[in-house]
Amino acid sequence: MENLTITKDVEIASKTSRLLAFLIDYLIIQTILFSYIYFIEDITFWNYLDKEFDLFDTLTGTLIALIYGSLIYPIFSGNIGHRIMGLKVVNIENKSNFNTFYEGAFREFIKDFCIILIIPNLWILFNKKNQNIYDRLFKTIVVKR
């Protein structure tokens, strides 16, 4: 089991719980995206995987991330994966919940963008506060509820 850092009554989430929360959330986002593609664009899952890179699909994905983040963060102070794993996102400076619609929208947008780049997400492996690059940008940490 990983050692967890405790700072002023806040227990930082482990890398393992963050990874599981990320995977749960990613599956939810992909389900929403593929549902849109299937029902609106009338393209099957396998045909979607066979098609060439499409900038429209990338823009659609980032738009979904913006909308998703703006709707979910005010409710859960994080995304659905965080909620299921018993985590939340807080500001590192004052430990307040990260829960406004625009904070959630832009954090999910940057996270979606970082998924494409992969390397910024690896930052978490070397950070003592279990932060990745978008946590650093938004001055947030993910903690246990």
Side-chain angles (χ1 to χ4, degrees), residues 30-80:
Q30 291 308 310
T31 300
I32 293 168
L33 178 62
F34 286 127
S35 297
Y36 166 80
I37 289 166
Y38 180 75
F39 291 111
I40 305 298
E41 294 185 20
D42 199 28
I43 297 173
T44 66
F45 176 77
W46 299 112
N47 288 340
Y48 176 76
L49 293 179
D50 285 340
K51 74 182 210 171
E52 304 261 335
F53 172 78
D54 186 355
L55 183 61
F56 178 75
D57 290 339
T58 303
L59 294 174
T60 302
T62 55
L63 180 63
I64 288 171
L66 282 168
I67 294 168
Y68 173 77
S70 68
L71 296 174
I72 298 302
Y73 273 72
I75 299 168
F76 299 134
S77 294
N79 59 45
I80 293 175

Side-chain angles (χ1 to χ4, degrees), residues 18 73 82 89-90 92 107 110 123-124 127 129-142:
R18 289 209 53 196
Y73 273 72
H82 291 138
V89 180
V90 297
I92 199 165
R107 188 173 191 276
I110 296 297
W123 184 295
I124 194 172
N127 188 280
K129 294 180 184 173
N130 294 346
Q131 292 176 296
N132 51 35
I133 197 71
Y134 52 86
D135 287 317
R136 301 279 304 209
L137 288 171
F138 289 99
K139 297 180 182 175
T140 59
I141 53 175
V142 178

Side-chain angles (χ1 to χ4, degrees), residues 22-33:
F22 169 79
L23 292 174
I24 291 167
D25 188 59
Y26 187 72
L27 287 173
I28 290 167
I29 290 287
Q30 291 308 310
T31 300
I32 293 168
L33 178 62

